[in-house]
Each structure stands twice: as C-alpha cells, then as structure tokens.
Amino acid sequence: MPDIEALARELDEAVRTATAVRQLSAEVELTLDQAYAVQAAGVRLREARGDAVVGAKLGFTSRAKAEQMGVSDVIIGVLHASMQTPDGGRVDLAAGVHPRVEPEVAFRLGAAIDPLDDDADILAATVAVAPALEIIDSRYRDFRFSLTDVVADNTSASSFVVGPWRSFADARAELDLAALDVTLTVGGEQVARGSSADILGDPVLALAAVKRMAREHGVALPAGSIILAGAATAAVALTPGASVEAVVGGLGPVRVTTSGGEQ
Ligand code: 0L1
Ligand code: MG
C-alpha cells in the first residue's frame, strides 16, 4: 500500500523548492484513485499553510493531448490563492522547475456547488467568463509523467492569470463561446494559435465536466470558484523577461510578464 501522505509531502517539497523529482510511477504503482488521494493530501498541506482553495482546473481537454497521453477522460486539479497572479502582473520563473504557459478560458461560480447534489446546476451558478493564462509546471524531471503521476502532481498546476471578467449570460448571448479565435504571443511574437473549440469542443462543456470530476474525486467547488476550462493550444516553454499575452476573441486579452529562472 503506497504511503499517500509521504508521496504528497515529496511533491509538496518539490513545489516549494522548485526541484524536479523522479516520476512516482517509476517506484510506486498507484491506482487513479490513489493518485487523486495524493493530490488531495497535497491540497491539505497547502491549506494548512493558509493557502486557500480558490477553484479547479481541467487538463487533457484537447483531443490531441488526450490521445498523446493515451487517456479518454479529462483530469481535475485544484487552484490555490497563491497561484493567482493579477492580470498584467509578473510570474517569477525561479519559483518553478520548467514552467510552460497555455491560453485558456476561465469561468467563475457565483454560488457554491455541491458536486454530490444531482440538482446543483453548475451552468446556472456560473456568473462570469474571462480569458486566462495557465502556467503549468510539472514537478517531474523533463516534464515526463504517467497519468497517475500528473494527477498526483495536481495536474501540473503552478500559477494562473485571469483577464477581465464579463457576465457569462451576456457573453453567451453575444458570442459563440465554442468558436473564439485564441492566440498566444510571447515577446511580441505569435507562438501558438487555436480556437476555444479545442477545449472539449466547447469550453462551456468544461463546467459539467468539472462538476462530474469534482464528484468523482472529492474536489470542493466553493462560491467564487475560478474554473480553468483547459488549454486552447499546446503549452509553450517560458523564458525570463518575456511579455506573454493571450487573446481570446471577443473576451479580450490577458497578460503576464516573467522574471527570474533558467530553462
Ligand atoms: O492544464 C493542463 O492542461 C495540463 C494538464 C497536465 C499535463 C501537463 O502538465 O501537460
Ligand atoms: Mg491548463
């Protein structure tokens, strides 16, 4: 039986010291449920340090990424207060191992959702939508991991930036959220281009997926939760001193600059 708490401490230490570790799966065979138990234990360690849960994120939402990983379902991770950087703010790459950035769509819940309650309507509880950047940072050497490794590592969650929020109801009425152009620019150069359709075919579908995954894996969705729906392009490695901008058509831009760190 794997020592869930010890594995969580090992990954937590890797986060706090920005040090790459070997894949857990090289030494311990974890089931998917055990990998989520490691993730949950890591969340408790952060909470014990006063780092509140502020939302959830999905990974493997693009068909290409899911096929690459040989998986048929999304994965869920937890967002903490310390991970959020303000729009236009700065991310210190020295705080990570080998950070990469991806353009996303974010949603905000106006009310808490109990994932165990069949009647809890996550679509109705969603009040806002925004462009977002997620900085992922696998704690495993060379960014190589198995499905259970990445789940245990809180789906590589590292930091995130949310652009201007707008009313979800207005955005749905005025835009086709399933067909927004997405561009990612680093240092003024476009490095990736995609569509919101690359997020599960429609990023709005991420809301139901988050509720289902939260139910299956014991993730909380408190009022005000920020939901990162998933990446619209492949992730791009970050270097220090870069200005990064994602534009999600109709929702507008979101920006961050990087400092510190080495690749
Ligand atoms: O947020 C994501 O899409 C990443 C999920 C974890 C896989 C990775 O680190 O690439
Ligand atoms: Mg992501």
Side-chain angles (χ1 to χ4, degrees):
M1 184 67 183
D3 185 339
I4 300 293
E5 300 295 328
L7 294 174
R9 282 195 300 274
E10 184 177 335
L11 286 167
D12 187 63
E13 176 80 359
V15 172
R16 288 188 295 108
T17 59
T19 308
V21 293
R22 54 98 176 89
Q23 293 179 48
L24 302 187
S25 57
E27 286 175 28
V28 197
E29 206 167 307
L30 293 176
T31 65
L32 190 58
D33 282 346
Q34 287 168 338
Y36 274 107
V38 175
Q39 182 189 117
V43 169
R44 288 194 296 275
L45 289 173
R46 279 186 179 258
E47 286 184 306
R49 293 197 291 271
D51 197 0
V53 171
V54 297
K57 58 161 280 191
L58 290 181
F60 302 158
T61 48
S62 86
R63 189 187 297 262
K65 188 80 171 260
E67 278 171 6
Q68 185 193 356
M69 287 301 294
V71 296
S72 55
D73 203 358
V74 297
I75 54 176
I76 188 167
V78 174
L79 302 176
H80 289 269
S82 68
M83 296 177 179
Q84 187 162 13
T85 298
D87 189 13
R90 183 177 305 177
V91 167
D92 180 9
L93 300 186
V97 181
H98 33 210
R100 299 177 181 177
V101 65
E102 45 192 27
E104 302 221 2
V105 172
F107 298 99
R108 194 176 72 228
L109 303 184
I113 285 290
D114 176 358
L116 300 176
D117 180 356
D118 288 336
D119 295 329
D121 185 342
I122 191 164
L123 210 56
T126 302
V127 293
V129 60
L133 289 163
E134 185 185 15
I135 289 120
I136 54 171
D137 185 30
S138 174
R139 267 55 68 164
Y140 301 114
R141 275 185 208 113
D142 304 322
F143 232 106
R144 291 172 65 87
F145 43 73
S146 68
L147 174 63
T148 53
D149 287 329
V150 70
V151 165
D153 188 24
N154 195 18
T155 66
S156 308
S158 181
S159 50
F160 66 95
V161 188
V162 180
W165 290 109
R166 67 176 293 188
S167 148
F168 181 50
D170 290 354
R172 284 190 96 189
E174 290 163 25
L175 301 169
D176 179 357
L177 291 177
L180 303 177
D181 281 336
V182 178
T183 56
L184 179 64
T185 305
V186 177
E189 186 185 336
Q190 187 175 294
V191 292
R193 180 170 197 156
S195 163
S196 58
D198 294 320
I199 307 167
L200 291 176
D202 179 349
V204 172
L205 297 177
L207 293 164
V210 159
K211 185 186 172 197
R212 176 174 60 81
M213 295 300 283
R215 177 189 192 121
E216 283 173 24
H217 301 294
V219 173
L221 297 173
S225 282
I226 295 167
I227 308 290
L228 290 183
T233 73
V236 173
L238 283 170
T239 49
S243 54
V244 181
E245 179 185 78
V247 178
V248 181
L251 297 179
V254 52
R255 300 183 183 96
V256 75
T257 58
T258 62
S259 65
E262 293 171 0
Q263 293 300 296

